[in-house]
Amino acid sequence: MLEKVTEILREQLNLENADIQMETSFKEDLEVDSLDLFELVMALEEEYDIEIPSEDLEQLTTVGAVVEYLKNKGAE
Amino acid sequence: MKTRITELLGIEYPVFQGGMAWVAEHHLAAAVSEAGGLGIIGAASAPAQVVREEIRKARKLTDKPIGVNIMLMNPNAPEVAKVVIEEGVKVVTTGAGNPAKLMQEFKEAGVKVIPVVAGVAMAKMMERCGADAVIAEGTESGGHIGAATTMCLVPQVADAVQIPVIAAGGIGDGRGFAAAFMLGADAVQMGTRFVVAKESIVHPNYKEKILKAKDVDSEVTGRSTGHPVRQIRNQMTREYLRLEKEGAGLEELEQLTLGSLRSAVIDGDVVKGTLMAGQIAGLVKKEQSCKEIIHEIMEEAEFLLNRKEW
């Protein structure tokens, strides 16, 4: 799943060469701002056919948190 | 003029006054509402009890609808939300964050929630979690800003959501109003033009700086911090940008701006104060009453929107 999430990240946020690992922080490592996060979440919803309520956004601080969140939502 | 926004909120003209920190207090908000627009009290980082008093004072000056802007980054935002509901305010605009957590509470109290958005994805998300409209605010605005311009942002947001869109950023007269409607807006929000209103308590020195500002006098500080702020260039912005260029840390930069908006608005310090204003400041040339401002804009806009020959 990390691979797929990484692919979506790269595409949505134009992060062609960034080093993306589970512990990568959106804010500190990738300088992703809150607007970018909205974009990312929209793309994840579409890819995994789930709904991510916007109040959950603040938990999604790292790539690992996103992967974990998606797993808990039953995404594959 | 009737639009989806005037119908939704029960106001006469589709004109909002931005919920500017320190500036948008009860005199200004009440005057805008009394003139038929939507006056908005800016809660900013004020304690909830102060917001309650501001609402009550505004109510003494007008019985027309008024709104409150809640800055969500402020830790006391839930407390301010409670006060807003208790005081029977029916319109809330939100900035600097995501109002999802407060949405249910507002809905149950019959409060219309209108978040400020700076991008399409956020606008869609807000619509889904129950927002009644969105304010699409372009980077021309004064104060804290996003990246997209009003010209580009408004039509894209209008295409992306079904709820009404209020255009903000760079609107200062009837031409800006008409243009916003051409781009798909149902209302406009203005800040800078109301900062210099007769009813605005902003220090005369600050007003003078806006009235004398030229098109190129606008500066953005704080890009390196992720929280850019648009204001009129002065000694403070020069010093700030110099420090930013030298790679100064957040702490050092914050030292410079601590209390600087208050000192500009209240004490009239135009040298070291933060003179928040939009790019449209160059167009704002007169101190007028809120009623004069709104009437002038509506008259000009209605002429333009009905015009047959170009």
Side-chain angles (χ1 to χ4, degrees):
Chain A
M1 183 176 281
L2 174 63
E3 207 171 307
K4 186 77 204 169
V5 169
T6 302
E7 190 187 314
I8 294 172
L9 259 169
R10 286 194 198 286
E11 167 141 1
Q12 281 301 316
L13 308 177
N14 307 311
L15 295 165
E16 293 78 8
N17 298 316
D19 178 29
I20 296 173
Q21 307 293 335
M22 287 294 263
E23 60 275 14
T24 303
S25 154
F26 290 121
K27 201 170 167 194
E28 268 112 61
D29 301 323
L30 300 176
E31 293 182 13
V32 163
D33 66 15
S34 58
L35 275 189
D36 294 331
L37 260 189
F38 279 108
E39 292 289 344
L40 174 65
V41 163
M42 288 295 217
L44 291 171
E45 287 187 341
E46 198 167 317
E47 176 67 30
Y48 292 102
D49 197 24
I50 52 167
E51 188 165 309
I52 304 176
S54 67
E55 52 265 45
D56 291 352
L57 250 69
E58 58 192 54
Q59 336 169 0
L60 307 178
T61 53
T62 63
V63 174
V66 168
V67 170
E68 191 64 22
Y69 181 89
L70 292 172
K71 278 184 183 155
N72 288 339
K73 279 261 176 186
E76 278 165 30
Chain B
M1 182 175 186
K2 271 191 185 165
T3 75
R4 289 193 290 167
I5 286 293
T6 59
E7 298 294 287
L8 179 73
L9 305 179
I11 56 176
E12 199 176 345
Y13 302 114
V15 176
F16 289 16
Q17 157 254 313
M20 304 162 280
W22 289 103
V23 176
E25 47 68 76
H26 67 275
H27 293 98
L28 182 62
V32 171
S33 287
E34 191 56 24
L38 182 73
I40 297 175
I41 292 168
S45 49
Q49 196 52 35
V50 172
V51 178
R52 191 192 299 278
E53 282 157 24
E54 285 295 315
I55 296 167
R56 290 185 179 172
K57 285 179 192 160
R59 285 269 166 69
K60 288 207 176 109
L61 300 172
T62 183
D63 50 16
K64 296 186 179 168
I66 52 160
V68 173
N69 175 267
I70 302 182
M71 193 181 77
L72 297 162
M73 256 165 54
N74 185 357
N76 78 347
E79 214 181 313
V80 174
K82 208 168 141 245
V83 162
V84 162
I85 291 168
E86 282 167 7
E87 293 298 316
V89 170
K90 293 299 175 204
V91 196
V92 158
T93 62
T94 64
N98 180 353
K101 274 191 249 170
L102 302 170
M103 201 61 97
Q104 199 187 345
E105 217 176 317
F106 282 135
K107 292 274 136 180
E108 280 167 8
V111 179
K112 305 273 187 279
V113 182
I114 309 182
V116 173
V117 301
V120 166
M122 182 171 182
K124 281 172 139 170
M125 208 56 130
M126 293 299 104
E127 176 177 52
R128 199 176 69 191
C129 74
D132 295 281
V134 287
I135 301 173
E137 188 181 88
T139 192
E140 297 93 320
S141 306
H144 290 90
I145 53 171
T149 61
T150 304
M151 184 84 152
C152 300
L153 181 65
V154 172
Q156 294 184 77
V157 170
D159 281 347
V161 297
Q162 306 290 314
I163 51 177
V165 176
I166 297 103
I171 300 163
D173 65 7
R175 290 172 297 181
F177 179 111
F181 274 65
M182 292 289 102
L183 296 174
D186 300 277
V188 301
Q189 173 167 288
M190 298 191 302
T192 307
R193 180 107 188 237
F194 286 122
V195 174
V196 301
K198 281 195 177 130
E199 296 90 341
S200 148
I201 54 104
V202 169
H203 195 284
N205 294 354
Y206 190 155
K207 289 187 180 178
E208 180 84 4
K209 289 296 272 188
I210 290 179
L211 295 171
K212 287 202 170 150
K214 299 182 295 297
D215 54 347
V216 292
D217 287 342
S218 190
E219 189 77 271
V220 177
T221 59
R223 289 205 191 275
S224 69
T225 68
H227 298 286
V229 173
R230 184 179 300 285
Q231 55 204 292
I232 295 173
R233 185 180 297 119
N234 63 357
Q235 186 184 306
M236 209 284 280
T237 63
R238 287 192 188 93
E239 174 73 5
Y240 194 108
L241 291 175
R242 187 181 60 78
L243 285 174
E244 255 191 304
K245 214 183 230 173
E246 289 169 1
L250 199 56
E251 215 165 286
E252 196 178 350
L253 293 170
E254 275 178 350
Q255 207 59 45
L256 200 60
T257 54
L258 193 70
S260 64
L261 179 60
R262 185 193 179 280
S263 73
V265 174
I266 308 295
D267 309 328
D269 183 349
V270 295
V271 179
K272 290 182 185 163
T274 300
L275 301 166
M276 292 190 187
Q279 279 188 342
I280 205 69
L283 191 86
V284 177
K285 297 291 180 212
K286 275 187 294 197
E287 182 175 4
Q288 293 165 294
S289 70
C290 292
K291 191 173 167 186
E292 285 167 340
I293 292 171
I294 292 176
H295 284 197
E296 188 181 289
I297 287 171
M298 291 310 303
E299 205 172 303
E300 189 182 13
E302 279 175 20
F303 167 75
L304 290 171
L305 292 168
N306 291 321
R307 193 167 152 184
K308 296 280 182 292
E309 277 176 48
W310 292 91

